Amino acid sequence: MTSIDDTPRVDERRGLVPVLVSICAIVAVVSSVGAPLIPTVADTYSVSFTGAQWSLTIAMLTGAVTVPVLGRLGDGPRRRPVVIWALVVVFLGCIFAAIPGNFAMLIIGRGLQGVGLGLMPLAMAVARDHLGPGRARSCVAALSVTAVAGIGFGYPLTGVIAHYFGFHACFVLAAGATLVVLIAAILVVPSSGHLPGHPLDIIGAVTLGVGLTLLLMAISSGGEWGWTSVPLIACAVVGTVVLAAWAVHELRAEHPIVQLRLLRNRSVLTADATGLLAGIGMFILSSSVIRFVQTPVDTGYGLGRSAMIAGLVLVPFSLASVLANKLLPLASGWMPRNLIMPTGALFFVGALVLFLFGRSDLWIVFVAMGIAGLGVGFTFAAMPAFIVSAVPAHETGSALGVNQVTRTVGGAIGSALSATVLAAYTVPGALYPDSDGYSATSLAGIALWILTGLLALGIPYAKRRASRELVDESVDASAAGSFAYEIESSRGAR
């Protein structure tokens, strides 16, 4: 019986690189659409801010579950249909979200859009398998930059369109752009039939989704249900039990969707815990800033700006994170490697302190978000290098995949947690929280990032030599936010 050839096949067909770039760009833009719109969604559908926050949380939740699933499905002969059908799902999500007058349809649509988060690593996998070595390396770097730039571009674009045409127009435009990219992908993305297939861990995928959903419902609904209410306690307990059962299953499964066995490595475990906390702390700040900037002036503390300005506030965050990624080689030249991630955490603590005491002026908020971007850039870009140096070459892709999943889960938790804290400082019947609510979110974020920095100090840096190319690709993927980055590490480490 002959084995399936799993060596890279060069397929430099015309238009492949532009199509891959377009896939990453549209996913980045669509994933950023919901962020500046939370107050607008609350006002349009007459729902609480906690409920409106789910328009962001649901996309992160879906991404945390489907990204490892897409990574497993696409790591073999089914990669082309997985890319195409994932784009179809994103397109349908944009259509559903564009339908006015139905909040449930918006949440369903945003959840479907979250599926697109898994397309970034798949696009990188296509580049590595179907382009020559030199061109593949430059293409992966271009995809990374495109992903981050797309998010930075998506924030102000969302705000401008929502300001002049209504927020549903954002999803109409996203649907049109996704359709164009879908057609291009059908025409250009090559087959990966030469790669061996792997079974999908359906039980693991389902239990992970159920457990995370129940746990996030408990975290986000405490202010509305009551922290001692039966529904909340039931969601928390059942969610925890389901996630525990999921962990046991993943440890025993022959082909798990998340390689939890790698957490036995101290470096991997510490890096993943750091990524989880950093993801929570990052979204606590970004979610709070979005609401704060759009809070009316007559509350006595709000800045009363539009969704367009709220989108612009997030731009320095994206740009600074890219800058930090580019400065990382320089920083590693004069700073011990084990201090880079704690330095990133320190930057973010500084941003939160600035927001805590100086949020009365819009320009200070802009500066704070820029400093936060530097913190995230240093923290997340340095993290993969520690993992790559700590695990055997054949486990590199799986270890990075686990780290990206924990970061995505952290983002979902942070989004839900920020809504919960602000809801706790909202007087019954009032629409907006007290100013103290934003102080509380800042303090919570400061505590999380201090803990993140302390954990990062404890990451042991292994002396195993890893190829420079492998480390560089790991950092590029981290900058792109590719939440299930799977490296063919047996090739890259040679």
Side-chain angles (χ1 to χ4, degrees):
M1 181 176 179
T2 59
S3 61
I4 299 176
D5 179 18
D6 63 350
T7 58
R9 293 189 176 183
V10 176
D11 186 0
E12 305 224 14
R13 60 180 64 187
R14 180 177 300 176
L16 179 58
V17 173
V19 169
L20 295 179
V21 170
S22 299
I23 290 174
C24 285
I26 195 63
V27 169
V29 171
V30 169
S31 65
S32 63
V33 166
L37 300 179
I38 295 171
T40 306
V41 169
D43 181 64
T44 301
Y45 291 106
S46 299
V47 297
S48 66
F49 277 107
T50 301
Q53 187 78 28
W54 271 94
S55 63
L56 176 62
T57 304
I58 191 67
M60 299 297 298
L61 170 62
T62 307
V65 176
T66 60
V67 163
V69 172
L70 290 186
R72 176 62 66 189
L73 288 174
D75 187 23
R78 297 165 292 197
R79 183 180 297 152
R80 182 176 185 273
V82 168
V83 170
I84 292 172
W85 282 107
L87 284 170
V88 170
V89 172
V90 173
F91 172 72
L92 292 176
C94 294
I95 294 295
F96 289 166
I99 298 174
N102 193 323
F103 179 66
M105 196 65 71
L106 171 66
I107 297 300
I108 292 173
R110 287 291 294 156
L112 294 177
Q113 290 168 29
V115 172
L117 292 174
L119 285 170
M120 293 183 189
L122 289 184
M124 292 178 180
V126 171
R128 290 194 304 274
D129 282 343
H130 298 281
L131 297 174
R135 198 167 183 222
R137 177 73 183 89
S138 62
C139 182
V140 168
L143 295 179
S144 303
V145 174
T146 299
V148 179
I151 292 174
F153 177 70
Y155 290 144
L157 178 65
T158 297
V160 170
I161 295 175
H163 181 74
Y164 289 105
F165 304 103
F167 80 89
H168 290 98
C170 299
F171 298 110
V172 173
L173 180 63
T178 303
L179 181 60
V180 172
V181 174
L182 170 61
I183 294 173
I186 293 173
L187 296 175
V188 174
V189 173
S191 170
S192 60
H194 62 288
L195 297 174
H198 302 283
L200 176 64
D201 178 17
I202 297 178
I203 295 177
V206 172
T207 52
L208 176 61
V210 172
L212 283 177
T213 300
L214 291 174
L215 200 59
L216 288 174
M217 288 179 64
I219 293 173
S220 63
S221 302
E224 296 181 355
W225 293 353
W227 291 106
T228 59
S229 65
V230 174
L232 185 140
I233 294 175
C235 284
V237 172
V238 175
T240 302
V241 171
V242 171
L243 287 176
W246 167 77
V248 172
H249 170 78
E250 292 297 283
L251 291 172
R252 296 176 177 175
E254 185 177 357
H255 298 283
I257 59 171
V258 179
Q259 289 281 3
L260 293 183
R261 298 185 186 94
L262 296 172
L263 296 181
R264 297 167 182 167
N265 184 301
R266 179 187 167 191
S267 293
V268 175
L269 176 60
T270 310
D272 290 344
T274 303
L276 177 68
L277 292 174
I280 296 173
M282 179 177 68
F283 272 83
I284 281 180
L285 176 63
S286 59
S287 298
S288 299
V289 165
I290 291 167
R291 286 182 58 175
F292 177 80
V293 170
Q294 297 179 72
T295 299
V297 177
D298 58 18
T299 58
Y301 66 87
L303 298 180
R305 304 306 174 106
S306 64
M308 179 172 63
I309 300 299
L312 290 172
V313 165
L314 296 173
V315 173
F317 181 85
S318 295
L319 295 179
S321 66
V322 176
L323 176 62
N325 181 58
K326 300 306 176 184
L327 291 176
L328 184 62
L330 179 63
S332 61
W334 59 269
M335 179 187 302
R337 290 182 176 180
N338 64 331
L339 292 183
I340 293 177
M341 287 173 58
T343 299
L346 187 62
F347 270 116
F348 212 105
V349 168
L352 285 161
V353 170
L354 189 58
F355 181 69
L356 176 63
F357 294 107
R359 58 179 181 264
S360 57
D361 294 309
L362 183 63
W363 70 270
I364 296 180
V365 177
F366 271 91
V367 172
M369 293 306 293
I371 297 173
L374 290 174
V376 166
F378 277 116
T379 302
F380 284 159
M383 197 176 295
F386 283 94
I387 296 174
V388 168
S389 69
V391 299
H394 66 279
E395 293 181 346
T396 301
S398 296
L400 290 172
V402 173
N403 183 254
Q404 300 290 5
V405 170
T406 59
R407 286 164 49 182
T408 314
V409 171
I413 294 174
S415 174
L417 187 59
S418 68
T420 298
V421 174
L422 292 177
Y425 284 85
T426 303
V427 177
L431 184 59
Y432 300 97
D434 296 333
S435 180
D436 290 342
Y438 292 97
S439 298
T441 58
S442 299
L443 291 172
I446 289 171
L448 284 167
W449 275 98
I450 289 176
L451 183 56
T452 298
L454 293 175
L455 277 175
L457 281 173
I459 298 179
Y461 189 81
K463 300 301 183 181
R464 184 182 72 84
R465 295 183 62 184
S467 72
R468 180 64 184 174
E469 180 179 349
L470 181 58
V471 174
D472 287 346
E473 285 196 4
S474 303
V475 173
D476 284 338
S478 176
S482 55
F483 298 109
Y485 184 57
E486 293 291 338
I487 299 176
E488 298 293 343
S489 51
S490 60
R491 304 170 194 161
R494 291 173 185 169

